[in-house]
Amino acid sequence: MTSKLHLLANIRIVLCQTSHPGNIGAAARAMKTMGLHQLYLVQPKKFPDKEADTMSVGAVDILQNAQVCETLQQALVGCAFAIGLSARKRQLSHELVSARQAASQAVEVAGTQHVALVFGTEMSGLSNAELDLCQLLAMIPADADFSSLNLAAAVQVMCYELRMGLLDDAVENTNAATPLAANEEVEGFYRHLEETLLKIGFLNAAEPGRLMQRVRRIYARARLEKEEVNILRGILKHTQHPYPPKGN
Amino acid sequence: MTSKLHLLANIRIVLCQTSHPGNIGAAARAMKTMGLHQLYLVQPKKFPDKEADTMSVGAVDILQNAQVCETLQQALVGCAFAIGLSARKRQLSHELVSARQAASQAVEVAGTQHVALVFGTEMSGLSNAELDLCQLLAMIPADADFSSLNLAAAVQVMCYELRMGLLDDAVENTNAATPLAANEEVEGFYRHLEETLLKIGFLNAAEPGRLMQRVRRIYARARLEKEEVNILRGILKHTQHPYPPKGN
């Protein structure tokens, strides 16, 4: 039996706008115990910080190598699959799965491409705009009356499930052949789509938001492959310029 | 489906000689998020303590009801099954299982009797004398080079596994509320789509097959909801007749 644990190198943990540097340090420690090393920080309130170092105990190396980003989109560059963590059920139902199911999907994609697990702030979790950049929403099953895990504790549980997902013999790597589109490719498609929908008068320029969000959700669930993004953008090109001259 | 989560009341968490009161508080929070409430403390170094209260966030009730004991034996009174947690493999051949296997055995016993999960000190874990009072040794699979989870993080993982062991289906499918489109509705969309793609010149009328098949696959994976079919057909209408007159 060959271990698949090296695939953990393809999974990054993204912490958005973390308030307490101690939580960043504790999250780094949690990651390292499970064999994960790629930490991305989107606009951390205080970083680097002594409290982060203290709480990381022996995982200062992860903090030193952490990528600090201005936007979540930057933190997702190169990722084919982003999973957002949520403590509560959302109105706009992204596909919602348990932590375990999410981990199992994550390790499958990590067989060939990069994956991100995205955590929101301590107080309010991920914003809807941040969620829109994710393809899947995961929830750690918790008590309904007291569902708020500490941030680092949530990172611990997810990293634990990722590790378990790779230790599990039952993990077969199925659709390795068809590469998923990277985050920036899918975002490029969304921009092209919005522009087209405005042009044909389907979207109201004054308020494109909610409808656009619903359309994004459809494609988020489909998890687009690289080639499919090209096909869909081909459709958009023809929508904007129908009946191309011969030869195209 | 009747929930078995009430059996968590039969499972206690026992922390032996904890050095840092903050860890006790964080452990209480971890327990409560997963629906566990029975906390036993064997010779805690500092308890009660303000730092414990602070770290427990909303779980002060668990700290207030915690049983402080002089010996592990006292903390295990009434228990039929005690599981000791260990970060390393021990010489003394206790039966050693994974956290998940241990949780599965624990919830089975908790159906009729009391169970304890026993955690040692932050620095050195459980002593051999303490282990002798346990019937099973459990290990959270961790990186061999950095295997030391924070105490509260270990409590979080174990309580999470206990909860998972009692949940039949971790997250109920919340998307069930939003009805999926019926087959004939999706097929109606595909016909509309093909007609539109022919009209804008994206599909070659002589051979629409293969490309159309690829496009269908995208939406098949998304598993369209009723309302989404309406949205997508709205886009197709606007594609065929851009800039509709006011009132449409």
Side-chain angles (χ1 to χ4, degrees), chain A residues 74-87:
Chain A
Q74 284 169 17
L76 295 181
V77 166
C79 279
F81 187 33
I83 301 172
L85 268 286
S86 176

Side-chain angles (χ1 to χ4, degrees), chain B residues 222-236:
Chain B
R223 252 171 292 146
L224 294 171
E225 299 167 6
K226 279 180 192 296
E227 217 184 308
E228 289 171 344
V229 167
N230 292 336
I231 292 173
L232 290 172
R233 294 195 70 161
I235 294 176
L236 296 178

Side-chain angles (χ1 to χ4, degrees), chain B residues 74-186:
Chain B
Q74 284 169 18
L76 295 181
V77 166
C79 279
F81 187 33
I83 301 171
L85 268 285
S86 175
R88 51 203 159 94
K89 289 177 183 156
R90 302 279 185 148
Q91 286 291 5
L92 277 183
S93 55
H94 257 75
E95 188 188 355
L96 176 67
V97 301
S98 75
R100 186 163 296 170
Q101 293 164 320
S104 135
Q105 294 191 36
V107 298
E108 205 178 303
V109 177
T112 51
Q113 293 185 281
H114 290 271
V115 175
L117 264 73
V118 187
F119 297 79
T121 67
E122 290 95 332
M123 282 305 287
S124 51
L126 290 168
S127 70
N128 285 334
E130 288 166 331
L131 266 183
D132 283 343
L133 295 175
C134 300
Q135 287 77 53
L136 186 68
L137 188 54
M139 211 174 78
I140 297 174
D143 191 282
D145 295 329
F146 192 76
S147 62
S148 168
L149 275 73
N150 164 267
L151 175 60
V155 171
Q156 183 76 66
V157 169
M158 285 310 307
C159 292
Y160 164 75
E161 281 288 12
L162 291 168
R163 189 175 185 82
M164 290 297 287
L166 287 170
L167 286 173
D168 283 329
D169 208 7
V171 172
E172 332 83 86
N173 193 351
T174 52
N175 305 354
T178 54
L180 296 182
N183 176 268
E184 61 273 21
E185 294 167 322
V186 179

Side-chain angles (χ1 to χ4, degrees), chain A residues 29 33 89 100 142-143 146 148 150 160-161 199-200 214 219 221-223 225 227-228 243, chain B residues 29 33 100 143 146 148 150 160-161 163 172 199-200 214 217 219 221-223 227-228 243:
Chain A
R29 177 180 179 180
T33 61
K89 289 173 186 166
R100 186 163 298 169
D143 191 282
F146 191 77
S148 168
N150 163 264
Y160 164 75
E161 281 289 10
K199 198 167 173 191
I200 63 174
R214 292 221 52 176
Y219 297 103
R221 287 209 311 276
R223 243 158 301 139
E225 299 168 5
E227 218 184 308
E228 290 171 343
Y243 302 111
Chain B
R29 177 180 180 180
T33 61
R100 186 163 296 170
D143 191 282
F146 192 76
S148 168
N150 164 267
Y160 164 75
E161 281 288 12
R163 189 175 185 82
E172 332 83 86
K199 198 168 174 190
I200 62 173
R214 293 221 51 178
R217 268 185 45 214
Y219 297 102
R221 287 208 311 276
R223 252 171 292 146
E227 217 184 308
E228 289 171 344
Y243 303 108

Side-chain angles (χ1 to χ4, degrees), chain A residues 83-153:
Chain A
I83 301 172
L85 268 286
S86 176
R88 53 202 158 93
K89 289 173 186 166
R90 302 279 183 149
Q91 284 293 6
L92 267 187
S93 53
H94 255 74
E95 189 184 355
L96 175 69
V97 301
S98 74
R100 186 163 298 169
Q101 293 165 319
S104 134
Q105 294 192 35
V107 298
E108 203 178 304
V109 176
T112 49
Q113 293 185 282
H114 290 271
V115 176
L117 265 73
V118 186
F119 297 78
T121 68
E122 290 96 331
M123 283 304 287
S124 51
L126 290 169
S127 69
N128 285 332
E130 287 166 333
L131 267 183
D132 282 344
L133 295 174
C134 300
Q135 287 78 51
L136 186 69
L137 188 55
M139 211 173 78
I140 297 175
D143 191 282
D145 295 328
F146 191 77
S147 61
S148 168
L149 275 73
N150 163 264
L151 174 61

